Amino acid sequence: MRLALAEAEKATLTGDVPVGAVVLAADGTTVLARACNEREATGDPTAHAEVLAVRRAAEATGEWRLTGCTLVVTLEPCVMCAGAIVQSRLDRVVYAATDPKAGAAGSLWDLVRDRRLNHRPEVVAGVLPAPAAALLSHFFRPPAP
């Protein structure tokens, strides 16, 4: 999670919401890909940290199926990212802060564990939530007068 938090901090340099993600190989230690939000930097509405990390991991492995891999992300994935997680066949998702307004891994929706889907990754929530929440709170805090 600390690697994902470091990625999240990079997002603020381009005015992006500080969310970071890392994809770990099946061994649980090898980093296949890392990313931060790049929507503002690229003008791409799909450039969420999770989607970018999943794309980069697929490129690194040469496979679209990321079976055995783990996505570590600083904020609970949204519906778009949850869809990418299911479609890429990740085995698990580990996230820090919950997102009560748009979360799709247990708080608002639980898309990743929907029994109607053909793949349901394990979800581990609340890993180092305070630092992730602090980054987000600071980013969204109105400027001092």
Side-chain angles (χ1 to χ4, degrees), residues 7 43 77 128:
E7 288 298 313
L128 295 177

Side-chain angles (χ1 to χ4, degrees), residues 20-89:
V22 175
V23 176
L24 301 174
D27 66 10
T29 58
T30 303
V31 175
L32 295 174
R34 57 182 79 208
C36 64
N37 274 356
E38 295 181 12
R39 291 187 308 169
E40 298 297 331
T42 63
D44 178 356
T46 69
H48 286 203
E50 301 96 307
V51 170
L52 296 173
V54 165
R55 286 178 186 162
R56 292 171 186 165
E59 186 176 332
T61 62
E63 293 286 333
W64 66 266
R65 288 180 191 88
L66 298 176
T67 306
C69 297
T70 300
L71 173 70
V72 179
V73 62
T74 60
L75 181 64
E76 179 182 0
C78 70
V79 173
M80 175 182 67
C81 295
I85 289 163
V86 170
Q87 291 301 316
S88 64
R89 309 300 195 268

